[in-house]
């Protein structure tokens, strides 16, 4: 019944879009062009254009805008936060091209501006649950060991958290870390952290724009249930050569940018940006005989270049490569990292149609070497995809903007290959490669119904194919597991054989319609109410039985035995601005219903296991909560307060007697307080306080002895809680006198000022040492693992 209703609603959406695009009361003319920063030529994303009343638009990801209006005189006002407004009076009696170079506002010594959105944007936009965070804000936050971090910044927003201080990922509205689609210039990033979660893969110097979608997700995006983190790199200065660098205690970074193929006016037809980072903790360990052979470091490279073929066509090339290295001699060594590349062509066809096509490649891999004598082996695994993404935006008229396009993704999953090292007895084994193809088609319209009512509605059709060549295991009863309700246990069914599929033969297929809808009703210029609904499908899964993901977890596609997950999310919000936009307040409530939620069965063995489908079970999930954010945007003291009240629960047969239980991302209370203070011309102060109620954990309820070994007997899954988490971080930035060629600043930070050792995990062990003898005492002790003690740091950043 629900599928029938969704199908009818989807058909209605398409008819509304087609109908609205044909309603043109009179002949209009179009004013269009690009909005850029004057000093660098960088395009400005989300700059607004107002033509009076409700007539207006905003620039896209490439700074392009288009607005169709009836003939007449107009006063156009262009705005972008942190830039001086630009005004132009026009007599519109024909199509007009108007390119705008905006000038950054001179810094007011008494103010710090922290919001990345234009004035009234959060009230008047149809978007809800979405946040844009300025890179300048990221750099003002206290940084772990002096390295600004995009992921830690978004975790200070309502509804966003992580399972511990060194988690390789983040959670949005109760979802798992694998339910977030992380994009860098449209390329998928599968592991977004370095050094086991200590740093993110995003070099803040190379990043231009960061936007998080956690509700009201447009039909443009698909493939994940919880959120989309869309990160865009800088394009490079096409006016002059520029550079910047940062030197910290354990890492440094360098960025250069410049124009090329200069035109007679000195402006480049193209430009490039090249940035690199490296940590060098391994250089210090070489000074110690005890740690000389240890390794722990990362490096990454960012590249972006663009070239104008002519006035209407431009090519972009961007890439990322990052790597981590870790080694404990005679024990273990590991290397992992992401690599991605995007080639993009953009073209504005006429004045109303903006077209782009992207060819994208992305790969994540890891190598794990066991160095224990006698059992040395190497384990390798990776996931790769290639994506072809044609898209278009049709600026129909002042009241309708239609977006349509396609996503075609080809996946290759290589779960693992084991090979011996140093002539060990380990046998070489290669797990079967998995291949899949995902196709998405979408249509989306943003429509202004009246001066008060605006809606954004869209439809995405997704189709997922599991492909050969592959041998698929066959089981009794047609499934790898059977559940015995009387014993409340899963039992493995016997394997009866293998079924061979040829190259590119379809093993299984899933397709679905994913309607999206957002509504905004203006109560007045400063207050609005919004309603949003998302239907999302996810066809690939991160299989893990740890509290938080690790670099060694395995991605696997949906198939005969693992079903795609899907979620329905409904949200309602109230948004207001006060005191001439000095304060912004938003309050949202949401409910998310999840089907085919996967979790591991009791006693699951996931590492080096080819038979993953026999280790996981499926059921239902739900997440609900309320989010409050209060921003103070201007003045000597700026910042925000965010609070989240939420629950995230799963219900899977055989887990906790089939009752609802807390998922790993469940956290009842989360409070973040962020502040910035302009102390003087040379000193900026910053700080944040974080509080979160305890995360779920599974504690043993008792113990027993078997064959002389003490074995823990565990209670209900996630039936306990870790202690509450709280931390205070402070920073101070000193701006020295700037020379004509170089501008520098010193950044001082203290993470965890009062040195609270927050528990990342608590485990239990038997005390077996009495003096120098290992004798079982029968006594059990609890051991707490904590990552961040008090961490002071200093770094020096400069531009040239």
């Amino acid at each position: 019944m629900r599928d029938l209703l969704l199908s009818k609603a989807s058909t209605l959406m398409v008819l509304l879009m087609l109908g609205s695009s044909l309603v043109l009361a009179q002949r209009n003319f179009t004013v269009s062009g690009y909005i850029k920063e004057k000093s660098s030529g960088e395009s400005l994303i989300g700059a607004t254009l107002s033509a009076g009343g409700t007539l207006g638009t905003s620039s896209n990801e490439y700074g392009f805008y288009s607005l169709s209006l009836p003939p007449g005189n107009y006063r156009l006002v262009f705005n972008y936060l942190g830039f001086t407004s630009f005004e132009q009076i026009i007599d519109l009696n024909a199509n007009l091209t108007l390119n705008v170079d905006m000038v950054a506002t001179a810094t007011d010594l008494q103010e710090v501006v922290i919001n990345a959105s234009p004035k009234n944007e959060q009230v008047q936009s149809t978007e809800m649950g979405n946040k844009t965070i300025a890179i300048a804000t990221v750099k003002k936050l206290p940084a772990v060991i002096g390295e600004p971090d995009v992921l830690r910044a978004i975790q200070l927003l309502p509804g966003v958290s992580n399972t511990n201080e060194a988690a390789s990922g983040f959670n949005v509205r109760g979802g798992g870390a694998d339910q977030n689609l992380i994009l860098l210039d449209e390329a998928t990033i599968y592991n977004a952290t370095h050094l086991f979660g200590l740093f993110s893969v995003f070099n803040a110097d190379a990043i231009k724009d960061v936007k998080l979608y956690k509700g009201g997700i447009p039909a443009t995006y698909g493939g994940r249930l919880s959120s989309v983190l869309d990160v865009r790199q800088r394009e490079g200065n096409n006016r002059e050569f520029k550079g910047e660098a940062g030197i910290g205690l354990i890492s440094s970074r360098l960025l250069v940018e410049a124009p090329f193929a200069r035109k007679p006016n000195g402006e480049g037809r193209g430009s490039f940006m090249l940035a690199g980072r490296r940590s060098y903790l391994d250089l210090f360990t070489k000074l110690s005989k005890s740690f000389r052979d240890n390794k722990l470091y990362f490096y990454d490279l960012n590249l972006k270049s663009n070239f104008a073929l002519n006035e209407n066509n431009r090519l972009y090339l961007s890439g990322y490569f990052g790597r981590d290295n870790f080694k404990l001699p005679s024990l273990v060594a590991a290397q992992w990292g992401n690599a991605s590349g995007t080639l993009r062509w953009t073209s504005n066809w006429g004045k109303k149609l903006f077209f782009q096509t992207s060819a994208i490649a992305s790969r994540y891999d890891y190598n794990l070497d066991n160095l224990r004598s006698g059992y040395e082996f190497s384990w390798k695994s990776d996931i790769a995809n290639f994506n072809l993404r044609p898209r278009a935006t049709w600026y129909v008229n002042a009241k309708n903007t239609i977006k349509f396009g396609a996503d075609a993704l080809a996946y290759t999953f290589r779960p693992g290959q084991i090979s011996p090292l140093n002539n060990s007895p380990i046998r070489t084994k290669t797990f079967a490669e998995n291949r899949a193809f995902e196709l998405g088609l979408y249509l989306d319209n943003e429509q202004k119904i009246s001066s008060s009512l605006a809606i954004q509605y869209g439809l995405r059709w997704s189709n997922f194919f599991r492909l050969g060549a592959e041998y698929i295991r066959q089981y009794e009863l047609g499934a790898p597991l059977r559940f015995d309700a009387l014993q409340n246990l899963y039992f493995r069914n016997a394997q009866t054989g293998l079924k061979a599929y040829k190259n590119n033969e379809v093993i299984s297929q899933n397709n679905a319609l994913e309607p999206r809808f957002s509504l905004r009703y203006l109560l007045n210029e400063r207050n609005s109410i919004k309603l949003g609904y998302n239907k999302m499908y996810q066809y690939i899964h991160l299989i893990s039985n740890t509290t938080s993901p690790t670099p060694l977890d395995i991605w696997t596609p949906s198939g005969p035995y693992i079903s795609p997950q899907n979620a329905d999310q409904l949200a309602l919000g109230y948004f207001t601005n006060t005191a001439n936009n000095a304060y912004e307040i938003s309050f949202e409530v949401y409910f998310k219903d999840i089907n085919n939620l996967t979790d591991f069965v009791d006693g699951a063995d996931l590492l080096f296991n080819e038979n993953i489908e026999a280790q996981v079970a499926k059921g239902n999930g739900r997440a609900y909560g309320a989010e409050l954010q209060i921003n103070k945007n201007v003045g000597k003291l700026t910042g925000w307060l965010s609070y989240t009240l939420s629950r995230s629960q799963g219900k899977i047969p055989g887990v906790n007697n089939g009752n609802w239980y807390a998922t790993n991302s469940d956290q009842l209370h989360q409070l973040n307080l962020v502040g910035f203070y302009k102390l003087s011309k040379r000193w900026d102060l910053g700080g944040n306080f974080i509080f979160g109620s305890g995360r779920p954990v599974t504690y043993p309820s008792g113990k027993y002895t078997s064959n002389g070994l003490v074995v823990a007997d565990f209670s209900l899954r996630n039936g306990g809680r870790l202690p509450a988490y709280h931390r205070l971080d402070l920073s101070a930035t000193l701006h020295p006198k700037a020379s004509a060629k170089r501008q520098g600043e010193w950044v001082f930070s203290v993470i965890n000022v009062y040195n609270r050792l927050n528990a990342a995990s608590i485990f239990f062990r038997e005390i077996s040492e009495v003096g120098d003898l290992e004798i079982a005492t029968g006594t059990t002790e609890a051991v707490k693992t904590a990552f961040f003690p008090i961490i002071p740091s200093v770094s020096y950043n400069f531009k040239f």
Side-chain angles (χ1 to χ4, degrees):
M1 182 65 178
R2 182 170 65 175
D3 291 340
L4 178 62
L5 292 174
L6 283 175
S7 178
K8 290 184 176 180
S10 302
T11 303
L12 179 61
M13 284 185 179
V14 174
L15 293 175
L16 282 172
M17 275 186 250
L18 294 176
S20 65
S21 66
L22 298 175
V23 179
L24 295 173
Q26 64 183 88
R27 174 167 172 76
N28 291 338
F29 295 110
T30 301
V31 56
S32 61
Y34 289 86
I35 306 174
K36 298 183 178 182
E37 181 183 357
K38 185 174 183 178
S39 63
S40 66
E42 284 272 357
S43 59
L44 297 179
I45 302 174
T48 60
L49 162 60
S50 174
T54 60
L55 300 176
T57 187
S58 59
S59 59
N60 67 6
E61 297 93 336
Y62 308 96
F64 179 79
Y65 74 94
S66 177
L67 181 63
S68 295
L69 301 166
N73 295 318
Y74 294 93
R75 177 173 168 265
L76 304 181
V77 181
F78 296 83
N79 281 293
Y80 191 76
L81 198 72
F83 286 73
T84 303
S85 296
F86 177 84
E87 298 185 10
Q88 179 81 44
I89 296 176
I90 63 171
D91 180 11
L92 191 63
N93 51 33
N95 290 336
L96 174 66
T97 298
L98 179 61
N99 296 322
V100 176
D101 287 338
M102 300 191 69
V103 179
T105 306
T107 303
D108 187 336
L109 299 181
Q110 300 304 313
E111 289 194 341
V112 177
V113 181
I114 59 107
N115 193 355
S117 301
K119 290 184 178 181
N120 284 331
E121 177 72 9
Q122 77 148 2
V123 171
Q124 297 182 359
S125 169
T126 56
E127 294 182 349
M128 64 180 302
N130 305 330
K131 298 292 182 181
T132 300
I133 189 165
I135 287 299
T137 301
V138 174
K139 292 184 176 182
K140 290 180 181 295
L141 291 167
V144 176
I145 320 182
E147 189 68 33
D149 197 310
V150 169
L151 291 189
R152 294 195 184 278
I154 67 169
Q155 289 167 22
L156 297 172
L157 300 174
V160 187
S161 62
N162 64 7
T163 52
N164 61 62
E165 293 169 319
S168 297
F170 57 95
N171 308 105
V172 176
R173 289 186 169 177
D178 67 325
Q179 295 176 358
N180 306 310
L181 179 62
I182 303 175
L183 301 174
L184 179 62
D185 279 345
E186 299 186 273
T188 303
I189 301 298
Y190 289 98
N191 183 353
T193 62
H194 285 304
L195 300 187
F196 302 102
L198 189 61
F199 300 109
S200 82
V201 299
F202 303 115
N203 181 347
D205 289 345
I207 301 304
K208 176 170 69 173
D209 186 74
V210 179
K211 188 166 188 176
L212 177 70
Y213 298 85
K214 52 192 175 79
I217 300 175
T220 314
Y221 301 100
R224 300 293 189 276
L225 298 188
S226 291
S227 77
V228 178
L229 180 63
D230 194 352
V231 181
R232 302 277 173 164
Q233 296 187 115
R234 288 165 57 174
E235 297 165 3
N237 193 313
N238 78 340
R239 305 288 200 264
E240 58 182 331
F241 174 83
K242 289 285 186 179
E244 53 190 274
I247 303 172
L249 294 179
I250 69 165
S251 67
S252 291
R253 58 192 187 276
L254 173 67
L255 178 146
V256 292
E257 54 184 346
F260 60 87
R262 289 181 183 269
K263 296 183 285 189
N265 63 1
E267 180 180 315
R269 288 185 63 188
S271 63
F272 73 89
M273 179 277 299
L274 179 64
R277 286 189 303 175
R278 194 193 191 278
S279 66
Y280 33 76
L281 188 62
D282 56 309
L283 302 182
F284 295 109
T285 60
K286 293 182 184 299
L287 302 177
S288 168
K289 291 184 178 180
S290 300
F291 300 100
R292 181 171 296 169
D293 296 325
N294 289 8
K295 290 183 179 180
L296 182 60
Y297 70 90
F298 76 87
Y299 63 89
D300 53 28
L301 295 170
N302 297 75
L303 166 70
K304 191 166 186 179
S305 181
N306 69 94
F307 181 75
L309 301 174
N310 53 43
E311 184 180 350
N312 296 321
N313 294 272
R314 185 175 289 268
L315 290 177
Y316 294 83
L317 176 65
S318 59
Y320 171 82
F321 182 80
R323 203 77 187 157
D324 286 69
N325 281 272
F326 170 70
K327 181 180 180 181
L328 294 176
S330 302
L331 291 177
V332 66
Q335 306 86 38
W336 64 92
N338 299 275
S340 69
T342 304
L343 177 63
R344 184 184 306 113
W345 166 49
T346 66
S347 178
N348 43 309
W349 295 354
K351 303 294 181 180
K352 290 187 171 187
L353 189 63
F354 187 90
F355 178 80
Q356 67 178 85
T357 295
S358 301
I360 309 158
S362 181
R363 182 174 184 263
Y364 173 73
D365 72 287
Y366 70 79
N367 302 334
L368 174 67
D369 296 337
N370 179 42
L371 304 179
R372 295 175 183 270
S373 179
Y375 297 94
E376 299 100 322
F377 67 85
S378 177
W379 168 269
K380 298 180 179 180
S381 178
D382 75 89
I383 176 175
N385 71 41
F386 179 79
N387 184 2
L388 185 64
R389 196 178 193 201
R391 296 188 293 163
T393 303
W394 180 21
Y395 300 90
V396 181
N397 52 44
K399 293 187 176 182
N400 291 274
T401 300
I402 294 179
K403 297 181 180 181
F404 55 95
D407 284 299
L409 292 93
Y411 293 98
T412 302
F413 303 81
R414 298 181 181 91
Q417 180 185 48
I418 300 176
S419 55
L421 296 175
N422 301 329
N423 299 317
S424 75
I426 302 295
R427 293 183 178 181
T428 298
K429 180 177 177 59
T430 300
F431 290 179
E433 178 181 288
N434 307 137
R435 296 173 60 242
F437 179 76
E438 182 176 352
L439 175 65
L441 304 175
Y442 70 88
L443 184 64
D444 184 274
N445 186 27
E446 186 172 356
Q447 183 177 4
K448 297 173 183 176
I449 305 295
S450 67
S451 59
S452 298
L453 181 62
I455 57 176
Q456 182 172 356
Y457 49 98
L459 178 65
R460 186 180 183 91
W461 176 69
S462 58
N463 203 351
F464 187 84
F465 301 87
R466 177 78 171 266
L467 301 175
E470 188 176 351
Y471 289 95
I472 298 296
R473 284 173 288 275
Q474 306 296 299
Y475 298 93
E476 289 183 352
L477 306 179
L481 295 173
R482 69 181 186 278
F483 178 66
D484 188 321
L486 293 177
Q487 300 184 61
N488 197 40
L489 292 173
Y490 282 96
F491 294 93
R492 295 181 184 177
N493 291 325
Q495 182 176 330
T496 59
L498 294 172
K499 184 176 180 179
Y501 289 86
K502 298 177 182 179
N503 191 39
N504 291 326
E505 184 178 358
V506 176
I507 299 172
S508 64
Q509 179 185 4
N510 300 94
N511 66 83
L513 292 174
E514 305 177 31
R516 318 285 173 83
F517 177 82
S518 295
L519 178 149
R520 179 228 68 202
Y521 183 78
L522 280 177
L523 302 174
N524 53 48
E525 187 181 17
R526 307 291 187 187
N527 296 271
S528 67
I529 295 174
K530 300 182 185 182
L531 176 68
Y533 168 76
N534 291 331
K535 177 74 173 182
M536 309 289 288
Y537 271 78
Q538 179 167 336
Y539 297 99
I540 67 172
H541 316 268
L542 186 66
I543 304 300
S544 174
N545 61 355
T546 59
T547 302
S548 62
T550 73
L552 307 182
D553 291 330
I554 296 174
W555 289 89
T556 191
S558 297
Y561 307 119
I562 299 180
S563 302
Q565 303 177 72
N566 66 84
D568 297 270
Q569 180 178 209
L570 184 66
L572 177 67
Y574 170 71
F575 302 80
T576 183
N577 291 355
T578 62
N580 195 27
N581 294 293
Y583 294 90
E584 292 182 342
I585 302 173
S586 63
F587 178 75
E588 297 184 47
V589 293
Y590 67 89
F591 180 85
K592 184 160 50 177
D593 180 45
I594 305 172
N595 296 304
N596 294 329
L597 179 71
T598 57
D599 205 346
F600 63 91
V601 299
D602 291 338
D605 180 15
L606 302 181
L607 192 61
F608 311 140
N609 192 331
E610 190 172 15
N611 193 9
I612 291 293
E613 66 265 20
Q615 309 298 318
V616 296
K618 67 179 181 180
N620 298 317
R622 65 187 182 190
Y624 51 91
E627 300 170 356
L628 172 68
Q629 181 164 349
I630 303 173
N631 283 14
K632 184 177 185 297
N633 292 328
V634 296
K636 294 184 67 173
L637 176 64
T638 58
W640 69 86
L641 178 147
S642 69
Y643 172 72
T644 306
L645 176 71
S646 63
R647 278 296 187 211
S648 176
Q649 299 172 320
K651 186 177 184 180
I652 296 178
V655 178
N656 290 10
N657 300 314
N659 298 316
W660 289 100
Y661 67 96
T663 67
N664 290 333
S665 55
D666 181 66
Q667 189 173 37
L668 182 59
H669 301 287
Q670 182 189 355
L671 175 70
N672 299 303
L673 181 61
V674 180
F676 307 101
Y677 186 73
K678 189 72 176 179
L679 184 63
S680 67
K681 178 180 179 179
R682 298 185 62 188
W683 283 99
D684 291 333
L685 304 180
N688 53 256
F689 175 75
I690 304 168
F691 173 85
S693 51
R695 291 283 188 175
V697 65
T698 304
Y699 289 132
S701 57
K703 59 183 179 180
Y704 59 91
T705 302
S706 176
N707 297 324
L709 297 176
V710 177
V711 181
D713 185 20
F714 285 91
S715 60
L716 296 176
R717 184 178 302 184
N718 288 346
R721 292 278 171 175
L722 292 172
Y725 180 100
H726 53 88
R727 193 183 84 218
L728 174 66
D729 307 329
L730 297 174
S731 69
T733 303
L734 173 62
H735 304 278
K737 296 180 180 179
S739 67
K741 295 184 178 180
R742 187 174 66 186
Q743 298 174 341
E745 62 182 21
W746 288 95
V747 181
F748 306 91
S749 293
V750 181
I751 303 298
N752 197 3
V753 171
Y754 50 85
N755 197 32
R756 175 177 169 83
L757 298 180
N758 290 289
S761 67
I762 294 178
F763 65 94
F764 293 80
R765 67 184 180 189
E766 292 295 309
I767 300 177
S768 59
E769 293 185 1
V770 179
D772 295 331
L773 302 176
E774 292 195 6
I775 302 174
T777 64
T779 303
T780 303
E781 65 175 355
V783 180
K784 178 175 72 174
T785 301
F787 291 111
F788 285 178
I790 182 172
I791 305 176
S793 66
V794 60
S795 61
Y796 180 69
N797 305 320
F798 61 94
K799 298 181 180 181
F800 55 90

